[in-house]
């Protein structure tokens, strides 16, 4: 009988440069440091019961990372949180620990906040509105079987957009999960080809993971 | 480049990090890293490893000194590595100075900038890192204040003369005590606003500190050294430091655990220092004397702490020869209790073939399966006697036998070519050993089924090193080495050719290593020119550019052969003769003469051969 817990955590600051595989290894080591009763699989090479909900692109920040941990015995969620937090690197902050509600496969969307630093926010925001209201935004998406054309216009939902003079901040929702997954960087890359004034190094932050009905994933 | 704050470094590197390989290596923030507020720190120390993160982070000495220095509240120690070429290019384009990983502050703002010199081929990386940091490359150009004190330690410091002009001082021997003494002195004199020269004169009085600018080197007409004289009251010879009570010496309870994978990504416990063997080619075997070991209880406690604090899934033991630990069985039994309980894998490098017992094999068999590595070093018994590698053919075969019965099928053999007195017969002996091992595999009824034996033969070109009995010997020339390589390939039994994989180092890399190892101060201009010509990462065979060095030697009017392939007489003044590594030169001469007669010397535990260390230490070694 396994005791299964999900943990929501942030990945900010320096931690955003930890790749997905490296983060996996980091969690494994931190679990050992915290001396938690993690469950191992059977077999010749036992591995820890650790599952990440959705991989995050290298360089993205996030307030909504979810990891599932299986333990060989029940333990207090408060205790788990404090023991893990004590050993995790800066930038990885545990927000909550809870019993799983949804299946991992139910993840269907993700919301992102995208910050585009620039010299003239008003102009850039104007460009953005024009760009996102075009009929079609066709890009080539790299898949396992070569390239495929997708229409980003159809797939992107705009939640908000604001001008802060030296930058614009966009909030968008895109399909995420195992069936369709769209990385917001391809949208921003395409937008970069359609602007009058160039913007600086864009910053991405994943704000939410959502289920099929666009309710929060737990 | 000064005055750039941590925040501005961060904002400058952020747009670049996603354009380079493994960005996590350039941003710090790893579990176990220690970030201090510089306001509360009296002396800041940038610990520089002159190679990439994945190599430098594997280095045990850095882990020890990092923990040791940061344990002192008033000191801080931060890590610095050589950026890989992709990131270096961007750093130069964007004018980002070399920075330390903890606080992301420029290296130039640190009080002390210390390099560890683990291999000679990293020398150009040092110049490149100083340049990236915006620090003057020649020590004489660094001005009169105490800022940016550049120094170095590590094994290559036993002959630092080729790079002496780039450093303010060197630390000889083991660093656990002397580094703190030097930093204490720095703190005291920084408060007094002393000058660089005043500080260096005082530092030179600390045992183990060598200030090259306080010594004058004069040369004979033939280019050899006439004399090395101290200019002020600096000591005539500088003695290396050793830790007297090795069992009690500081050892870190945790490591910085990197996010990206590094070469040795595991917990490491140092079990012993020094070596009893006295292999005549091996510099480490002489410069790390005397032999000292930790008790099994200390080793277990340190292993336990490290496993717990790092979360590493693997533990390895570090030493020159782990199986020479006097309580090896008790140590391994106790360690296996610790590691099995914690689900930690144990790996054991540096096991010598000759005392590989069945019981020890039984214990390590539980641990690993992939392959076994032996280092017979030479192909015939005669040549092994010359180099005092006391391993017999029978022992090699017996070990292979045990290994095959134990389920191993990959055997890696390390040899050298170009050893003193070596003949074609000795080279053919290498092929014969590989051949006999393959035959042994097929004769073994308990050999692993369904597996094919693979013998990897790695042949390094011998490089004579200071403080060894072969420091007088010429290094083999290119023609000689090419002949030997051809002879080896022709000696391999064609029937087994596919089961034997032979590899060797590029000759020019070994030759350069030989030049730098036994070089003098005249070489600093060559190193500088080679770096200017575009050399760095010379130890990476894919990045080594001989043409940069070749033209550097030419520009400076220096022949590499003078240093590499010249026989030295016993009475020649060596560039390192003013550095005392506690080994008598008369002992080295004695050993050299015995080598030429193929006479062996028993190991230290069996019989003291009078190298001089025990007299210097004031006690017998055993």
């Amino acid at each position: 009988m396994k005791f299964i817990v999900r943990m929501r955590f942030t990945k900010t600051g320096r931690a955003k440069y930890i790749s997905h595989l490296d983060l996996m290894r980091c969690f494994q080591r931190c679990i050992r440091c915290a001396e938690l009763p993690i469950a191992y699989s059977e077999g010749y090479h036992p591995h820890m019961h650790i599952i990440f909900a959705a991989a995050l692109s290298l360089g993205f920040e996030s307030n909504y990372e979810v990891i599932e941990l299986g333990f060989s015995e029940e333990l207090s969620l408060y205790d788990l949180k404090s023991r893990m937090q004590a050993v995790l690197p800066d930038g990885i902050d545990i927000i909550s620990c809870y019993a799983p509600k949804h299946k991992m496969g139910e993840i269907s969307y993700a919301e992102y906040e995208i910050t585009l630093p620039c010299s003239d926010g008003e102009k850039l925001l104007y460009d953005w509105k024009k760009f996102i209201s075009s009929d079609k935004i066709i890009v080539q998406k790299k898949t396992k079987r070569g390239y495929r054309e997708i229409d980003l216009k159809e797939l992107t939902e705009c939640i908000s957009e604001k001008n802060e003079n030296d930058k614009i901040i966009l909030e968008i929702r895109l399909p995420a999960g195992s069936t369709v997954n769209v990385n917001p960087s391809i949208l921003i890359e395409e937008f970069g080809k359609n602007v009058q004034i160039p913007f600086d190094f864009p910053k991405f932050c994943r704000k939410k993971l959502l289920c099929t009905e666009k309710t929060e994933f737990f | 480049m000064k005055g750039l704050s941590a925040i501005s470094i961060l904002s400058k590197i952020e747009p670049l990090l996603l354009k380079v390989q493994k960005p996590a290596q350039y941003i710090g923030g790893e579990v176990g890293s220690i970030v201090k507020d510089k306001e509360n720190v009296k002396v800041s120390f940038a610990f520089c490893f002159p190679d990439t993160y994945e190599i430098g982070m594997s280095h045990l000495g850095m882990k020890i000194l990092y923990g040791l220095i940061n344990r002192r509240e008033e000191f801080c120690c931060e890590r610095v590595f050589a950026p890989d070429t992709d990131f270096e290019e961007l750093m130069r384009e964007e004018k980002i100075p070399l920075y330390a990983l903890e606080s992301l502050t420029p290296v130039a703002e640190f009080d002390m900038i210390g390099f560890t010199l683990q291999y000679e081929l990293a020398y150009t990386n040092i110049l490149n890192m100083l340049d990236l940091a915006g620090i003057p490359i020649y020590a004489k150009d660094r001005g009169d204040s105490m800022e940016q004190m550049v120094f170095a330690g590590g094994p290559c410091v036993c002959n630092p003369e080729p790079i002496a002009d780039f450093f303010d001082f060197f630390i000889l021997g083991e660093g656990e005590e002397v580094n703190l003494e030097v930093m204490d002195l720095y703190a005291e004199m920084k408060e007094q606003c002393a000058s660089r020269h005043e500080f260096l004169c005082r530092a030179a009085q600390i045992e183990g500190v060598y200030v090259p600018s306080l010594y004058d080197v004069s040369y004979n007409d033939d280019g050899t050294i006439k004399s090395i004289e101290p200019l002020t009251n600096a000591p005539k010879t500088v003695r290396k430091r050793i830790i007297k009570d090795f069992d009690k010496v500081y050892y870190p309870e945790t490591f910085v655990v990197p996010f990206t994978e590094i070469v040795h990504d595991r917990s490491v416990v140092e079990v012993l220092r020094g070596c009893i063997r006295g292999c005549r080619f091996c510099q480490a075997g002489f410069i790390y004397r005397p032999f000292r070991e930790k008790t099994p209880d200390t080793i277990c406690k340190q292993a336990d702490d490290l496993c717990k604090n790092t979360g590493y899934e693997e533990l390895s033991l570090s030493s020159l020869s782990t199986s020479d630990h006097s309580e090896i069985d008790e140590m391994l039994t106790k360690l296996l209790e610790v590691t099995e309980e914690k689900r930690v894998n144990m790996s054991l490098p540096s096991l010598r073939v000759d005392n590989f017992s069945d019981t020890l094999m039984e214990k390590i068999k539980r641990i690993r399966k992939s392959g076994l590595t032996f280092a017979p070093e030479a192909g015939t018994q005669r040549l092994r006697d010359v180099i005092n590698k006391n391993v017999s053919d029978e022992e090699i075969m017996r070990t292979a036998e045990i290994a095959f019965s134990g389920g191993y099928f990959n055997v890696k053999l390390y040899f050298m070519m170009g050893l003193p007195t070596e003949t074609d017969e000795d080279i053919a002996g290498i092929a014969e050993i590989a051949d006999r091992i393959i035959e042994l595999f097929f004769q073994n009824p308990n050999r692993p089924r369904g597996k094919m034996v693979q013998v990897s033969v790695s042949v390094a070109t011998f490089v004579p090193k200071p403080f060894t009995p072969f420091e007088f010997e010429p290094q083999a020339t290119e023609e000689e080495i090419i002949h030997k390589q051809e002879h080896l390939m022709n000696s391999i039994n064609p029937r087994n050719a596919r089961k034997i994989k032979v590899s060797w180092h590029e000759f020019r890399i070994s030759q350069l290593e030989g030049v730098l190892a036994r070089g003098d101060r005249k070489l600093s201009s060559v190193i500088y020119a080679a770096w200017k010509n575009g050399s760095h990462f010379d130890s990476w065979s894919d990045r080594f550019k001989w043409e940069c060095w070749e033209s550097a030697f030419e520009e400076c009017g220096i022949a590499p052969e003078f240093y590499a392939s010249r026989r030295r007489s016993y009475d020649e003044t060596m560039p390192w003769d003013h550095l005392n590594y506690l080994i008598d030169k008369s002992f080295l001469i004695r050993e050299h003469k015995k080598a030429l007669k193929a006479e062996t010397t028993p190991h230290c535990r069996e019989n003291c051969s009078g190298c001089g260390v025990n007299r210097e230490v004031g006690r017998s070694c055993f």
Side-chain angles (χ1 to χ4, degrees), chain B residues 38 41-46 76 109-112 183 190:
Chain B
K38 289 244 183 51
V41 159
K42 280 188 188 159
V43 184
S44 58
F45 176 4
C76 78
E109 288 174 20
F110 281 75
D111 295 314
M112 300 180 73
M183 289 181 80
K190 183 184 173 187

Side-chain angles (χ1 to χ4, degrees), chain A residues 13-14 16-19 22 25-26 28-30 32-35 40 44 46 58-59 87-90 201 203, chain B residues 14-15 17-18 23-24 27-29 31 101-102 104 257 259-261 265 308-313 342-344:
Chain A
R14 296 186 189 194
K16 71 181 172 192
Y17 297 104
I18 308 172
S19 73
D22 290 347
R25 213 171 28 238
C26 176
Q28 288 171 349
R29 286 170 181 165
C30 288
R32 301 173 78 102
C33 291
E35 300 188 300
Y40 284 85
Y44 195 71
L58 189 66
V87 293
L88 283 167
D90 281 356
F201 173 61
K203 291 192 171 83
Chain B
E14 282 219 76
L17 287 175
L18 293 178
I27 192 79
V31 175
L101 290 181
E102 274 71 12
L104 304 179
V257 182
F259 296 121
T260 58
E261 274 181 293
D265 208 4
K308 200 173 126 201
N309 294 328
T310 61
Y312 268 128
E313 50 295 290
K342 288 184 175 324
R343 287 176 183 265
V344 168

Side-chain angles (χ1 to χ4, degrees), chain B residues 83 85 88 124-125 128 530-531 534-538 543-545:
Chain B
T85 33
E88 183 195 331
T124 47
N125 285 8
N128 201 47
W531 167 69
S535 261
H536 64 309
F537 290 116
D538 293 313
R543 303 187 195 184
F544 176 74
K545 288 178 253 173

Side-chain angles (χ1 to χ4, degrees), chain B residues 399-425:
Chain B
T399 313
E401 186 99 56
I402 299 172
F404 291 144
S405 301
Y408 291 88
F409 53 91
N410 279 330
V411 177
K412 212 182 218 175
L413 299 170
Y414 284 107
F415 290 97
M416 281 181 284
M417 61 173 47
L419 286 163
T421 78
E422 187 178 83
T423 63
D424 282 359
E425 198 185 319

